[in-house]
C-alpha cells in the first residue's frame, strides 16, 4: 500500500479508484430502469478518510447515458483498531469499522455505520437529516464488494426505506475499475 495512505485505510484500499458501469434502479410503485454510473473513492494523503462521489444517469434505448438522475458525495472514515474495539465493547455482533457521511442532491444527508470483511463493506444508516423539501427517507442499507479476490468488478446493492414504505430494493450495479486514484492532499 502507498506510504501516503493512512494505515487505518488499509482495509478500504480495494475501493480506491474510479469505477464505471451499469445497474438497475426502481422502487415500490416505480418502473425499473437501467442506469449508467460513475463512482470515485479518493484517499486523502495521511488522513483516515476517503472522499466519495457518485453520479448516475438514466440509460437511453441506444445504450448511451441520458439525464442525470442522482448524485451524492461524502466521506468514508475508517476507525482505528482501538476505536473499533471501543465501539464494539457492548455488542460483539455489531462491530463498527467505518463511519460514512453521504449528502444527496435529493435534499437529505445520511450517516452510516459499517463493517468490513475481506473485500466487502456492509453499512446501515445511523441517522438521516433532510431539508423541508427533501426526499422522505427513513433508512438505508448498502453492500459493496469485489466479485472475486483481485477482481476489477465492484458490485453493490442499496436498499432504501422512503415514504414510510419500509426497506425495499432500490439500486444495484456492477462497476469496473477504470482508473487507479493515488492519495492526494485535497487540492
Amino acid at each position: 500500500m502507498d506510504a501516503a495512505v493512512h494505515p487505518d485505510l488499509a482495509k478500504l484500499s480495494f475501493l480506491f479508484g474510479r469505477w464505471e458501469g451499469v445497474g438497475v434502479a426502481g422502487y415500490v410503485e416505480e418502473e425499473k430502469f437501467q442506469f449508467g454510473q460513475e463512482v470515485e473513492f479518493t484517499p486523502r494523503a495521511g488522513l483516515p478518510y476517503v472522499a466519495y462521489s457518485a453520479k448516475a444517469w438514466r440509460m437511453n434505448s441506444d445504450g448511451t447515458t441520458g439525464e442525470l438522475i442522482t448524485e451524492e458525495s461524502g466521506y468514508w472514515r475508517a476507525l482505528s483498531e482501538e476505536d473499533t474495539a471501543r465501539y464494539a465493547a457492548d455488542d460483539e455482533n455489531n462491530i463498527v469499522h467505518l463511519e460514512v457521511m453521504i449528502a444527496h442532491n435529493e435534499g437529505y444527508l445520511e450517516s452510516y455505520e459499517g463493517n468490513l470483511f475481506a473485500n466487502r463493506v456492509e453499512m446501515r444508516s445511523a441517522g438521516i437529516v433532510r431539508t423541508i423539501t427533501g426526499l422522505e427517507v427513513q433508512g438505508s442499507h448498502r453492500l459493496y464488494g469485489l466479485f472475486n479476490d483481485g477482481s476489477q468488478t465492484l458490485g453493490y446493492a442499496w436498499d432504501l426505506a422512503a415514504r414510510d414504505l419500509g426497506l425495499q430494493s432500490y439500486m444495484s450495479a456492477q462497476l469496473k475499475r477504470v482508473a487507479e486514484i493515488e492519495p492526494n492532499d485535497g487540492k
Side-chain angles (χ1 to χ4, degrees):
M1 190 168 68
D2 188 316
V5 174
H6 192 282
D8 291 345
L9 294 179
K11 290 187 267 184
L12 282 175
S13 64
F14 72 95
L15 292 172
F16 298 172
R18 191 173 84 234
W19 302 80
E20 294 178 358
V22 295
V24 176
Y27 200 64
V28 177
E29 300 175 357
E30 292 179 11
E31 190 173 324
K32 290 190 180 208
F33 62 92
Q34 281 195 314
F35 64 90
Q37 187 165 38
E38 178 182 289
V39 175
E40 285 190 17
F41 294 92
T42 306
R44 297 297 189 218
L47 299 172
Y49 67 90
V50 175
Y52 164 80
S53 67
K55 294 179 183 177
W57 298 265
R58 187 177 295 271
M59 295 296 290
N60 294 321
S61 58
D62 65 359
T64 60
T65 54
E67 69 177 305
L68 179 70
I69 55 170
T70 190
E71 59 185 317
E72 57 188 31
S73 63
Y75 299 95
W76 292 42
R77 294 171 13 114
L79 274 64
S80 66
E81 287 185 28
E82 295 79 21
D83 282 343
T84 294
R86 177 178 162 209
Y87 293 112
D90 296 332
D91 184 357
E92 292 178 7
N93 296 318
N94 190 22
I95 297 173
V96 177
H97 295 121
L98 75 150
E99 302 167 313
V100 176
M101 295 292 294
I102 298 176
H104 299 265
N105 65 321
E106 291 96 346
Y108 67 102
L109 173 70
E110 294 179 283
S111 167
Y112 286 93
E113 293 176 352
N115 51 51
L116 292 133
F117 297 100
N119 292 326
R120 182 175 167 262
V121 173
E122 180 175 8
M123 56 192 197
R124 295 187 182 280
S125 55
I128 297 169
V129 175
R130 69 180 193 92
T131 63
I132 58 173
T133 61
L135 187 63
E136 296 177 26
V137 173
Q138 290 83 40
S140 254
H141 176 258
R142 296 187 190 209
L143 294 170
Y144 294 81
L146 295 182
F147 278 86
N148 296 310
D149 287 340
S151 171
Q152 295 296 304
T153 302
L154 177 68
Y156 82 86
W158 179 10
D159 295 339
L160 183 70
R163 302 187 309 257
D164 294 321
L165 296 173
L167 207 57
Q168 307 286 327
S169 177
Y170 176 50
M171 295 179 90
S172 62
Q174 291 185 16
L175 310 171
K176 296 282 188 189
R177 188 188 318 264
V178 295
E180 297 285 333
I181 295 180
E182 297 297 320
N184 67 49
D185 59 9
K187 292 182 183 178

